[in-house]
Amino acid sequence: MSLFSQFKRVNKINFFHFKQYSTSSEKSYLNLKSILNTQIEQIKEAGTFKNERIITSPQSSQIFVKGSNQSVLNFCANNYLGLADKARLVKAAEKSMQDFGFGLASVRFICGTQTIHKQLEQRLSEFHGTEDTILYSSCFDANAGIFEALLGPEDAVFSDSLNHASIIDGVRLCKAEKYRYQHFDWNDLENKLKEAEKARVKLIVTDGVFSMDGDIAPLTTICDIAEKYGAIVMIDECHATGFMGKTGKGTPEYHNVMDRIHIINSTLGKALGGASGGYTTGKKEIIDILRQRSRPYLFSNSVAPPLVGATIEVLNILTESTELRDRLEINTKRFRSRMTDAGFTIAGADHPISPVMIGDARLASQIADDMLGLGIYVIGFSFPVVPKDKARIRVQLSAAHDLKQVDRAVDAFIKVGKKHSIIK
């Protein structure tokens, strides 16, 4: 057989095998496609399919949505202090970009640590009254990277049943014994602590504020239980940092237990400017080991200089005055009071997350659409984000709202609530 004939034969065989593999792979994907399309249709039929509305303006209390020439009032952002579009932060971000560049193209331990990263970590430590701080790309990453780094098979972690998904995922990654106690059920927590009495380290982890219900963790009770059973306490402060407590230092300040919390995880992406980034702050030894072992920190790029510089400016704002958190508190009390008087059930207490409880998922979605028609941007939350038959409109107040805007939102809720027989 000639060399050319051998070449043709080998390539024919290779093409045959490639075609076989390609056909097999294509069949496999078509099977997956069918499964996914069925699931999508089921979600749509249940009325829980999440459509993304497109915003065509900066994030603020008043925004523009694609398809409409009219502005709407935004009552569903995590923009608690109204800083997301503030010129002062934009200017600080621009200056940091001019001085330090757009990005680092590196993780921290290689060549991704600049002076402003250390400055922000120091400022956050001072703000929380802690020993040290480590920055992450998000608080999801901070939660994902902490349990595996700190805990081993000899240890035990105790997590509230309604903790954020990032805590749940982070706990799953570690090798410690895992205990899930019922939400705010302290007998259940104590029983589980007794079960794990021989554990080397016992860690209780809770949201400081639970984002779907707006309820605030009773940290005094949790710290008392932790002390009784020799446990340490970790809290997720994403929906508290910057505005809970008299000076915005979060739920530890709100409950006067700042010296009793060992680990605080929080975000730069909500009250602190609304962009992205997260951090862990606490005891120096904890932060030191996270820099050595926390995988999201070790394998993710550094937080970009514009975000770092803008967040430093946010901390300047918070230390200058409590005006923004005070205004947010006033707006929250006004909304909750008027809505309750109108006959609505509002979950939680004393927090700008003010969930209007509806129950039925499809009805919650319809109400959100009707509210948008009245110029109020809110979103219905339903399963699997919240439990089945506990659908709600999660309203979030901001310091950027004025009282007239708050009243306008309440008036719209009353009109729509009567239309759908939610209230009389």
Side-chain angles (χ1 to χ4, degrees):
M1 183 183 294
S2 69
L3 186 63
F4 178 72
S5 297
Q6 290 181 45
F7 176 79
K8 280 178 66 179
R9 182 173 180 274
V10 169
N11 277 277
K12 187 175 181 180
I13 293 170
N14 287 342
F15 177 76
F16 174 76
H17 284 303
F18 172 77
K19 189 174 180 180
Q20 272 191 320
Y21 294 146
S22 177
T23 302
S24 176
S25 179
E26 186 64 23
K27 283 181 179 178
S28 181
Y29 175 70
L30 288 174
N31 183 44
L32 174 62
K33 180 180 178 180
S34 175
I35 293 168
L36 296 179
N37 282 334
T38 299
Q39 292 175 354
I40 290 169
E41 287 305 313
Q42 289 172 344
I43 294 170
K44 288 179 177 178
E45 288 172 10
T48 58
F49 189 83
K50 296 161 188 63
N51 289 299
E52 296 180 358
R53 296 171 181 165
I54 310 300
I55 298 172
T56 60
S57 63
Q59 183 66 276
S60 187
S61 62
Q62 196 160 331
I63 58 175
F64 285 88
V65 179
K66 187 177 181 179
S68 174
N69 295 323
Q70 301 295 319
S71 66
V72 294
L73 295 180
N74 187 1
F75 279 87
C76 58
N78 297 313
N79 189 24
Y80 294 114
L81 296 178
L83 294 173
D85 66 335
K86 292 304 176 187
R88 184 170 168 181
L89 297 194
V90 174
K91 185 177 179 180
E94 289 175 345
K95 186 178 188 309
S96 292
M97 190 154 53
Q98 290 167 359
D99 293 346
F100 293 97
F102 176 68
L104 273 299
S106 173
V107 300
R108 286 284 298 270
F109 80 93
I110 298 178
C111 58
T113 299
Q114 295 172 315
T115 53
I116 54 171
H117 291 94
K118 300 307 294 183
Q119 182 183 351
L120 176 55
E121 288 172 340
Q122 182 179 346
R123 290 292 302 277
L124 286 167
S125 299
E126 292 169 358
F127 181 75
H128 286 284
T130 52
E131 295 176 6
D132 201 0
T133 299
I134 180 174
L135 294 174
Y136 287 87
S137 298
S138 68
C139 189
F140 201 111
D141 277 351
N143 283 333
I146 191 167
F147 302 100
E148 184 181 24
L150 296 184
L151 304 176
E154 312 92 336
D155 306 318
V157 57
F158 306 83
S159 179
D160 189 290
S161 62
L162 294 187
N163 275 341
H164 190 268
S166 58
I167 294 176
I168 295 170
D169 285 359
V171 168
R172 284 173 177 164
L173 291 171
C174 78
K175 295 179 180 178
E177 290 293 322
K178 303 167 183 68
Y179 297 87
R180 182 173 177 264
Y181 65 91
Q182 293 304 306
H183 184 55
F184 289 3
D185 185 335
W186 310 123
N187 287 330
D188 190 33
L189 174 57
E190 289 203 52
N191 287 335
K192 286 177 168 53
L193 282 161
K194 290 174 184 175
E195 288 179 37
E197 62 178 345
K198 294 183 180 179
R200 181 183 64 175
V201 174
K202 294 184 279 290
L203 171 63
I204 301 171
V205 56
T206 179
D207 283 350
V209 174
F210 291 81
S211 62
M212 287 299 114
D213 295 286
D215 50 354
I216 303 165
L219 294 185
T220 303
T221 299
I222 292 172
C223 288
D224 287 346
I225 292 173
E227 192 167 320
K228 179 178 178 181
Y229 292 94
I232 63 176
V233 179
M234 169 185 163
I235 58 174
D236 180 314
E237 285 285 88
C238 286
H239 292 276
T241 300
F243 60 94
M244 290 297 292
K246 290 182 179 179
T247 62
K249 292 181 173 60
T251 53
E253 183 180 44
Y254 179 86
H255 287 294
N256 194 29
V257 292
M258 290 185 67
D259 59 343
R260 302 179 70 186
I261 305 298
H262 302 86
I263 305 168
I264 296 172
N265 278 12
S266 195
T267 181
L268 312 180
K270 293 182 171 61
L272 304 188
S276 63
Y279 61 92
T280 297
T281 190
K283 301 295 185 183
K284 185 180 184 303
E285 300 79 19
I286 290 173
I287 305 306
D288 284 346
I289 204 68
L290 290 177
R291 292 193 195 280
Q292 303 303 313
R293 290 182 177 173
S294 181
R295 292 165 72 86
Y297 178 81
L298 291 170
F299 297 101
S300 295
N301 269 15
S302 304
V303 180
L307 302 181
V308 175
T311 306
I312 292 171
E313 190 62 26
V314 170
L315 293 172
N316 291 337
I317 293 171
L318 295 184
T319 54
E320 288 168 7
S321 166
T322 61
E323 177 187 355
L324 293 177
R325 60 87 48 212
D326 294 345
R327 191 187 310 158
L328 175 60
E329 184 176 26
I330 291 169
N331 289 343
T332 299
K333 288 180 178 178
R334 178 70 153 257
F335 180 84
R336 283 182 168 273
S337 175
R338 282 205 62 203
M339 288 290 284
T340 301
D341 290 345
F344 289 98
T345 299
I346 310 299
D350 298 332
H351 196 277
I353 293 176
S354 303
V356 182
M357 303 305 294
I358 306 298
D360 181 73
R362 195 178 300 275
L363 180 57
S365 181
Q366 291 172 350
I367 290 175
D369 289 341
D370 288 349
M371 290 290 288
L372 185 62
L374 296 175
I376 309 296
Y377 189 118
V378 290
I379 293 291
F381 284 76
S382 55
F383 181 83
V385 179
V386 297
K388 284 185 177 179
D389 302 320
K390 295 261 180 105
R392 66 204 63 186
I393 305 291
R394 187 181 72 169
V395 174
Q396 289 169 279
L397 284 301
S398 170
H401 295 128
D402 59 39
L403 289 178
K404 287 183 179 180
Q405 292 173 330
V406 175
D407 286 340
R408 182 179 158 191
V410 174
D411 292 341
F413 265 112
I414 291 172
K415 183 175 182 178
V416 174
K418 288 179 178 179
K419 172 185 173 182
H420 292 283
S421 300
I422 300 295
I423 59 171
K424 295 180 179 179

